[in-house]
Amino acid sequence: MKNTLRQVFHSSKFVAGFVIFIAILLLLFIYPLINPGNPLEMIGVGTFAKPGTYVSLYDAINTEPETLRLSDADDKRLAKQLSMEDRVAMIEWFDAMGIAVDFDMSDTEALLDLWDSHYDPATKPKGMTQAKRNYYKRLNNALQELKAGDEIIIAESDEAGVLTENDTVNKTDYVNVNAVANVKVLPLGTDNFGRDVLKELVSATGTSILIGLIAGAVATIIGLTFGLLAGYMGGIADDIIMFITNVFTVIPGFVLLILISYSIGQDQRGASVVALVIGLTSWTWTARSVRSQVISLRNRDHVNLSKLSGHSLVRIIMTDILPYIASYVVMAFILQVSSGILSEAQLSLLGLGPKTTEVPTLGLMMNWSMLYSAHTNGSWWAYFPVILTITLISFSLNLMNTGLDQVFNPTLRD
């Protein structure tokens, strides 16, 4: 055993896959300690908040400011205010007025200088609608207010019933983020329900790996049992087992998986139930492969010696056959785990995965992002990290399997 483990961990492919998989598992245990709480908690009212650090505006106003005079602050403020749509509209206004623009629209300073020197709210470019002219007036007012200076915080007077100045926020006022009472870091933003995507992703990864492990264990146990019995016993037992296996093989596994999942119903489809269904529909190739391995072993000398010694069927299989195919069984299990994770993702994309009110899965996150058109509105953080996670898990498991295959299959050794 020690020599076998030494050979396994000398395989660069197995070690690479093992390290990636262990890193993912460590993240599953460590991150909930850093950011505890319900991964399905809706912390945002809006949908698809962008990744970043969010500071409470209310707390920031009530935090003691420091005065900082940054030379490029106004330029950055104006550049941020001008969206690409506004820049295009300004170029269109210049064209309508016959004003030549000989610089790129990304040059904020040149664009605003030209705008200040030529724009007049009273002008009426030929062919421009009143609604469009009103848009330019609003844009100009917004730019002038941004340049003007400080923002006034107003409050209603209890006695006079009029609005009075309460405080002023200067352009040079800055607050230390550490001094603000409520700051929320969202590395991957929020999803369509206003939930922390990273917290949800970590929880979903753990659930999907658990589904893969259960499905892989079920499929491997069933396939191993049928393959051992069919390969060793032969005869009518082999014919019956292979008939059952062929029936499941002829019916496309994913179609069978869809039919069974649909017949169960949404309320009964928990993560463990989905994992069990996946395992019950994906054991056939394991059974056929194990059977072929056992057929090559059943007439070897040590097996015949056990037969002559009167050992039972179970003992012969467990002590004289199973140890010789143990490495193959481990590799089959790894592939079944990977297949189980991918099958859950496929089912959930079709709306046939685990029920959505209990725990998130990687497939459910993909389903939610697709239903709310994250891929069309540019909310990449709602689906791309999920795709990357599924890819990393499958890649690491397949690397481990390839490394084991090189160790235990002499024909593949360098």
Side-chain angles (χ1 to χ4, degrees):
M1 177 62 73
K2 186 182 295 186
N3 185 54
T4 301
L5 289 176
R6 188 181 295 111
Q7 288 181 335
V8 168
F9 280 95
H10 277 153
S11 170
S12 58
K13 291 184 178 179
F14 177 86
V15 171
F18 183 77
V19 168
I20 295 173
F21 191 71
I22 291 300
I24 294 173
L25 292 181
L26 287 175
L27 179 63
L28 302 184
F29 287 105
I30 295 174
Y31 188 76
L33 300 177
I34 301 173
N35 189 8
N38 181 11
L40 295 181
E41 178 186 4
M42 298 181 186
I43 61 174
V45 177
T47 60
F48 298 121
K50 293 182 178 180
T53 301
Y54 288 80
V55 180
S56 169
L57 182 60
Y58 179 86
D59 294 327
I61 291 175
N62 290 281
T63 302
E64 186 66 27
E66 296 288 344
T67 300
L68 300 177
R69 301 187 184 278
L70 306 181
S71 59
D72 58 347
D74 286 337
D75 294 337
K76 289 182 177 180
R77 191 175 292 115
L78 289 168
K80 189 70 175 179
Q81 177 71 21
L82 277 177
S83 66
M84 185 55 64
E85 180 183 351
D86 292 333
R87 294 171 188 267
V88 172
M90 293 169 74
I91 297 297
E92 291 176 352
W93 189 88
F94 291 136
D95 291 340
M97 294 297 295
I99 301 172
V101 179
D102 55 357
F103 53 83
D104 190 85
M105 70 174 68
S106 61
D107 188 345
T108 305
E109 184 178 357
L111 185 63
L112 290 176
D113 287 343
L114 190 63
W115 180 261
D116 291 338
S117 60
H118 290 87
Y119 178 75
D120 183 357
T123 58
K124 297 181 178 180
K126 186 178 180 180
M128 186 174 291
T129 64
Q130 183 63 38
K132 191 69 173 179
R133 291 199 297 272
N134 289 337
Y135 162 77
Y136 285 117
K137 289 179 182 179
R138 291 193 299 271
L139 175 61
N140 184 65
N141 291 336
L143 293 175
Q144 298 309 317
E145 288 178 5
L146 198 61
K147 293 178 182 179
D150 308 328
E151 294 289 342
I152 298 174
I153 302 174
I154 56 176
E156 187 174 355
S157 173
D158 294 335
E159 297 178 358
V162 295
L163 296 177
T164 58
E165 180 180 337
N166 185 42
D167 198 0
T168 302
V169 178
N170 301 311
K171 283 186 175 182
T172 55
D173 287 347
Y174 289 80
V175 295
N176 191 322
V177 174
N178 295 325
V180 180
N182 292 292
V183 178
K184 182 65 175 177
V185 179
L186 297 174
L188 294 178
T190 64
D191 67 358
N192 48 289
F193 297 114
R195 301 181 297 213
D196 186 342
V197 171
L198 181 56
K199 182 188 290 187
E200 191 178 1
L201 178 63
V202 171
S203 177
T205 302
T207 305
S208 292
I209 289 177
L210 180 62
I211 289 175
L213 290 172
I214 295 174
V218 171
T220 303
I221 291 172
I222 295 175
L224 177 62
T225 302
F226 281 175
L228 286 171
L229 293 175
Y232 179 75
M233 297 178 66
I236 190 170
D238 185 21
D239 293 338
I240 294 173
I241 292 173
M242 281 299 99
F243 174 77
I244 297 172
T245 304
N246 290 334
V247 169
F248 276 87
T249 304
V250 170
I251 303 173
F254 191 64
V255 173
L256 186 61
L257 183 58
I258 291 175
L259 294 175
I260 296 175
S261 298
Y262 183 78
S263 64
I264 293 174
Q266 177 73 25
D267 293 335
Q268 286 73 41
R269 284 203 306 268
S272 58
V273 173
V274 171
L276 183 62
V277 171
I278 293 173
L280 290 174
T281 56
S282 57
W283 55 268
T284 53
W285 67 267
T286 302
R288 298 178 71 91
S289 300
V290 170
R291 172 180 175 270
S292 64
Q293 295 286 328
V294 174
I295 288 176
S296 66
L297 290 170
R298 66 184 180 186
N299 291 320
R300 291 195 178 181
D301 292 341
H302 68 282
V303 177
N304 291 329
L305 182 60
S306 292
K307 292 177 184 178
L308 293 174
S309 301
H311 293 162
S312 64
L313 173 65
V314 175
R315 179 173 177 180
I316 293 174
I317 290 177
M318 297 300 294
T319 61
D320 297 318
I321 293 180
L322 187 57
Y324 287 86
I325 62 171
S327 60
Y328 182 82
V329 173
V330 172
M331 289 187 287
F333 172 71
I334 291 174
L335 289 179
Q336 290 284 12
V337 171
S338 178
S339 176
I341 294 172
L342 294 175
S343 295
E344 181 277 322
Q346 291 173 320
L347 277 180
S348 295
L349 275 174
L350 297 176
L352 297 174
K355 52 185 176 181
T356 61
T357 55
E358 289 188 349
V359 292
T361 67
L362 295 173
L364 285 175
M365 290 185 69
M366 287 293 295
N367 178 260
W368 294 330
S369 65
M370 182 181 67
L371 289 177
Y372 287 82
S373 304
H375 57 292
T376 59
N377 61 28
S379 302
W380 58 266
W381 57 88
Y383 63 90
F384 183 75
V386 182
I387 297 174
L388 182 61
T389 302
I390 294 175
T391 303
L392 279 176
I393 295 172
S394 299
F395 177 67
S396 64
L397 291 174
N398 280 280
L399 264 183
M400 291 167 64
N401 183 76
T402 302
L404 289 175
D405 201 17
Q406 287 182 339
V407 171
F408 296 110
N409 190 345
T411 60
L412 297 179
R413 294 177 188 169
D414 295 331

